[in-house]
Amino acid sequence: MRIIFMGTPQFAVASLDALLKAGCDIVAVITAPDKPAGRGQKINQSAVKQYADANGIKTLQPEKLKDPDFLQELEALKADLQVVVAFRMLPEVVWNMPPKGTINLHASLLPQYRGAAPINWAIINGEKESGVTTFFLKHDIDTGDILFTEKVTLTGKETAGDLHDRLMNKGAGLLVKTVKGIESGRYHEHPQEELAEGMELKHAPKLFKTDCLVDFNKPAEQVYNLIRGLSPVPTAYTVLNDKVLKIYNADYEPGEPGIAAGGFVTDNKTKLKFATKDGFISVTDVQLEGKKRMAIEEFLRGNKL
């Protein structure tokens, strides 16, 4: 099959690499346009663009997916199948173009956690398992018929970054299995509507800064899950002495805190603990506004509280 791959970040590179190594015919890659980034406004290429260039794969970078010139070029590639991993929403004129359709790899066990941030929300909500799903694209986001899924068990200690890497690799293998299944005709489509029947669905909307502010009035375990679910990005934070303190990692201690929620205790050496509704959050990896990220011991050496 002639395959067009669509993706942008590092998460998608593992899938593209796995497809190539499995002998799939990737005729082109569609990825985000190059854009300036950082203080020097240096032109930044997506991780997928860099990989495609290094492996001699034709790359298209349309600003608008309905642009007539782009659609003409896309059609001329005569792809049998399109594969989408961590890309933007596609208009129907794009996803409906190939005769075998367009498939997507999603980092959740659909129909749960449809949306932009499934990895983060699974951790924030303290889930015991997560996984990856492949499905055919249709009109509504993340609602197409499911092809294959694969589960992973969560320990309750991993960060969103840890789960990202696990699902990135797990998803790459599942995507190869899916493409080979479509090529051979050995697959079944499972409508999400049937799977969702009687199920309380949890969603994974885009995260905003307001979602990242820690509310220490909540139970310690919930705060701990929020910190894990936002690490390393977009990162949970609180305000300490009128400055933003990002919290990348922490432990939690259940029990009676004895001080008001949001208050803290420290030995100014190795421990900084914030009181919650029912215990403490002991921060271990932080970044104070205007400073670099550091372990709590280093932070306390330079900041007496």
Side-chain angles (χ1 to χ4, degrees):
M1 292 189 301
R2 291 173 61 81
I3 298 170
I4 289 174
F5 184 91
M6 302 184 184
T8 296
Q10 192 63 40
F11 187 92
V13 172
S15 291
L16 178 55
D17 182 62
L19 290 172
L20 274 183
K21 286 176 177 172
C24 297
D25 182 16
I26 310 296
V27 295
V29 157
I30 316 296
T31 191
D34 299 345
K35 57 183 179 182
R39 290 182 181 176
Q41 292 293 285
K42 183 180 177 182
I43 296 300
N44 187 42
Q45 296 181 333
S46 76
V48 165
K49 170 78 182 320
Q50 293 175 46
Y51 180 91
D53 285 353
N55 287 274
I57 306 171
K58 178 184 177 68
T59 305
L60 302 179
Q61 297 176 276
E63 289 283 353
K64 296 180 180 179
L65 295 176
K66 290 184 178 180
D67 178 83
D69 291 338
F70 166 67
L71 292 175
Q72 187 176 4
E73 195 168 6
L74 193 63
E75 194 165 14
L77 289 167
K78 298 189 183 303
D80 300 298
L81 178 74
Q82 289 175 159
V83 174
V84 179
V85 183
F87 195 54
R88 47 187 153 153
M89 282 187 66
L90 301 182
E92 183 176 359
V93 68
V94 172
W95 60 255
N96 206 24
M97 190 178 289
K100 291 186 181 293
T102 298
I103 60 171
N104 184 216
L105 171 68
H106 189 70
S108 83
L109 299 173
L110 291 173
Q112 295 289 9
Y113 292 105
R114 294 169 177 159
I119 294 174
N120 304 92
W121 284 106
I123 300 287
I124 291 169
N125 290 335
E127 297 291 355
K128 303 300 181 189
E129 66 177 16
S130 181
V132 283
T133 304
T134 51
F135 66 98
F136 278 115
L137 285 188
K138 58 188 279 190
H139 286 283
D140 296 325
I141 188 168
D142 298 337
T143 60
D145 291 351
I146 289 173
L147 292 161
F148 297 96
T149 62
E150 192 157 345
K151 296 180 180 180
V152 299
T153 301
L154 303 183
T155 65
K157 292 186 178 297
E158 58 270 283
T159 64
D162 297 330
L163 182 56
H164 169 281
D165 292 350
R166 286 181 69 191
L167 296 185
M168 176 176 70
N169 294 316
K170 187 75 71 174
L174 188 70
L175 193 58
V176 171
K177 176 181 176 180
T178 303
V179 168
K180 296 296 185 182
I182 291 171
E183 194 167 30
S184 65
R186 295 175 184 168
Y187 68 93
H188 298 284
E189 296 179 47
H190 306 278
Q192 288 194 48
E193 294 81 2
E194 293 178 10
L195 295 172
E197 215 167 288
M199 185 184 289
E200 183 184 351
L201 294 182
K202 298 174 184 176
H203 299 283
K206 184 178 178 180
L207 289 158
F208 296 94
K209 190 172 182 180
T210 50
D211 298 307
C212 302
L213 177 61
V214 175
D215 180 359
F216 287 108
N217 290 298
K218 291 186 175 180
E221 187 173 8
Q222 282 189 30
V223 176
Y224 174 64
N225 290 342
L226 179 76
I227 291 167
R228 293 189 302 118
L230 298 175
S231 181
V233 288
T235 324
Y237 74 94
T238 188
V239 177
L240 182 66
N241 295 340
D242 298 322
K243 288 189 175 182
V244 170
L245 181 72
K246 290 183 176 181
I247 306 171
Y248 290 92
N249 277 301
D251 297 314
Y252 80 96
E253 305 168 13
E256 178 54 52
I259 60 173
F264 66 86
V265 294
T266 181
D267 62 0
N268 276 313
K269 292 179 181 178
T270 62
K271 291 181 182 177
L272 173 59
K273 304 193 299 185
F274 291 90
T276 69
K277 176 182 177 181
D278 61 355
F280 282 103
I281 291 293
S282 183
V283 299
T284 58
D285 185 357
V286 298
Q287 183 177 11
L288 189 65
E289 185 180 334
K291 302 291 184 179
K292 66 175 184 176
R293 177 177 171 178
M294 59 186 76
I296 193 62
E297 294 85 357
E298 185 182 357
F299 171 78
L300 290 173
R301 277 199 299 272
N303 296 275
K304 298 303 178 188
L305 303 175

